[in-house]
Amino acid sequence: MRMRRLRRTSALRDLVSETELSPRRMIQPLFVVSGESVREPVASMPGVERFSINELLGEAAELLAVGVEAVILFGIPSTKDETAGGAYDDEGIVQMAVRALKEAHPELTVITDVCLCAYTDHGHCGFVREGKVDNDITLELLAKTAISHAEAGADVVAPSDMMDGRIGMIRHQLDEEGHAEMPIIAYSAKYASAFYGPFREAAGSTPEFGDRRGYQMNPANVREALREVRLDVEEGADMVMVKPALPYLDVIRAIRDDVDLPIAAYQVSGEYSMLKAAAANGWIDERAAALEALTAIRRAGADVIFTYYAKEVAAWLT
Ligand code: PBG
């Protein structure tokens, strides 16, 4: 047997390729800020900007033009408080952005990140009582947030807080409020990762005390990820997510082998910034390395990928 026979030409290699990358399976994260005609570059994430709503509309048009049909929105509110009021305000930054995006581009799939960390004055993903993140009070606030996103016209809600029971609570409340058709992407296996550093700079969501290890997962664990996923499936998740992606390919694979629903993987800010930094230094071929990382994430079993590379990769692929 000669394994090289089917590697001889590019056409032959393409013919027998087991994994494909398509912009249709990529979701572009977008940061939205208040103001008019604002585009602020994020220093630690070259190529990523924070957009005001009017600028966001133009960016969405460019994404659609290259074949990226889905985005996830992260809001950066102008004020923060103890109860994360901006997260579930009908006139909040994400709610207004969703309305504007859906009006300008009804064909764009608008996913919203449901979390409180960018809206609380201490930067934790939940309501803090006596120095601790209170799980069950937080659930109420998350459900309010998801409902306000649904009411603004979001297509999918994606809770990223890692509180226990949030999928069940959000599903129940959405159903009660007439949003039974709203899908939920659960950030099921979200690890307490050092790779979120650049995102926290972009979103201004670094916790002021402590860390997120009391709610996000320990990077050492994979069986626990399966338990998280099974719970979220029971509670009504429509899709589950693994995050970060490249350092957790075994987790993606284990989940793929265990459940049948679609799996998303989030190539997070640190994964993106590492590639950008190495490329800027001339140490790697950015295009080849980014495509290889994304292909590996798909090969491990992810159906869709949240990636800051979505727009760039879409342009490379066409
Ligand atoms: C909010 C949230 C985070 C990310 C997505 N949603 C940050 C965190 O948990 O600190 C990280 C995304 C990235 O690093 O690209 N809870």
Side-chain angles (χ1 to χ4, degrees):
M1 188 60 215
R2 290 180 185 271
M3 295 302 287
R4 291 176 58 189
R5 284 175 198 135
L6 293 177
R7 294 179 197 151
R8 198 171 51 84
T9 67
S10 159
L12 277 172
R13 290 193 293 273
D14 282 350
L15 204 61
V16 296
S17 169
E18 297 175 33
T19 309
E20 247 149 349
L21 272 186
S22 155
R24 288 196 161 64
R25 290 184 180 264
M26 291 183 201
I27 298 161
Q28 177 77 47
L30 294 172
F31 297 101
V32 49
V33 289
S34 57
E36 188 69 24
S37 303
V38 180
R39 293 180 80 116
E40 293 168 354
V42 177
S44 57
M45 300 176 74
V48 173
E49 289 170 286
R50 311 200 284 192
F51 300 99
S52 59
I53 292 172
N54 66 319
E55 293 291 330
L56 199 65
L57 300 180
E59 183 65 14
E62 287 177 24
L63 286 166
L64 286 166
V66 291
V68 177
E69 296 172 327
V71 299
I72 181 163
L73 295 183
F74 293 98
I76 296 141
S78 32
T79 58
K80 302 174 189 248
D81 58 39
E82 212 187 331
T83 56
Y88 41 86
D89 179 352
D90 288 336
E91 300 302 313
I93 186 75
V94 164
Q95 290 79 358
M96 295 198 304
V98 169
R99 277 188 226 112
L101 276 174
K102 291 304 295 184
E103 190 181 304
H105 306 291
E107 73 278 35
L108 182 73
T109 296
V110 178
I111 304 169
T112 56
D113 183 81
V114 175
C115 196
L116 308 182
C117 61
Y119 303 88
T120 51
D121 46 17
H122 45 67
H124 276 288
C125 302
F127 184 80
V128 170
R129 193 155 65 165
E130 288 157 17
K132 292 200 190 103
V133 177
D134 186 299
N135 196 88
D136 297 1
I137 295 177
T138 303
L139 296 185
E140 295 286 342
L141 304 179
L142 291 167
K144 274 169 78 163
T145 304
I147 288 165
S148 77
H149 292 175
E151 271 160 19
D155 294 293
V156 185
V157 290
S160 68
D161 52 282
M162 289 300 277
M163 296 300 120
D164 286 318
R166 89 263 211 226
I167 302 303
M169 173 70 102
I170 291 172
R171 181 72 276 158
H172 177 76
Q173 305 261 27
L174 282 170
D175 292 354
E176 293 272 288
E177 300 289 326
H179 298 290
E181 290 184 354
M182 172 66 60
I184 301 176
I185 300 180
Y187 283 67
S188 301
K190 179 175 181 182
Y191 287 87
S193 173
F195 291 98
Y196 304 151
F199 172 95
R200 292 183 190 167
E201 184 202 312
S205 62
T206 308
E208 254 167 32
F209 60 91
D211 52 47
R212 303 211 204 285
R213 281 182 269 190
Y215 39 104
Q216 298 181 347
M217 279 185 57
N218 179 348
N221 297 349
V222 61
R223 293 194 307 268
E224 189 185 347
L226 295 176
R227 296 182 66 203
E228 282 282 4
V229 165
R230 290 176 197 144
L231 280 171
D232 286 349
V233 173
E234 267 172 45
E235 290 176 33
D238 298 283
M239 204 188 292
V240 292
M241 192 203 290
V242 176
K243 176 186 176 187
L246 202 61
Y248 296 89
L249 295 184
D250 59 321
V251 179
I252 298 174
R253 173 46 55 187
I255 295 170
R256 176 71 297 156
D257 291 342
D258 195 57
V259 296
D260 295 322
L261 70 178
I263 297 175
Y266 199 134
Q267 183 190 48
V268 301
S269 56
E271 296 178 70
Y272 173 84
S273 299
M274 285 196 300
L275 288 166
K276 284 284 174 191
N281 278 291
W283 295 336
I284 50 163
D285 173 344
E286 182 183 14
R287 193 162 156 162
L291 291 174
E292 184 176 330
L294 292 165
T295 302
I297 294 165
R298 292 265 296 120
R299 190 197 62 233
D303 299 287
V304 302
I305 308 175
F306 289 76
T307 171
Y308 301 94
Y309 267 113
K311 187 181 180 189
E312 234 177 324
V313 164
W316 293 338
L317 294 176
T318 45

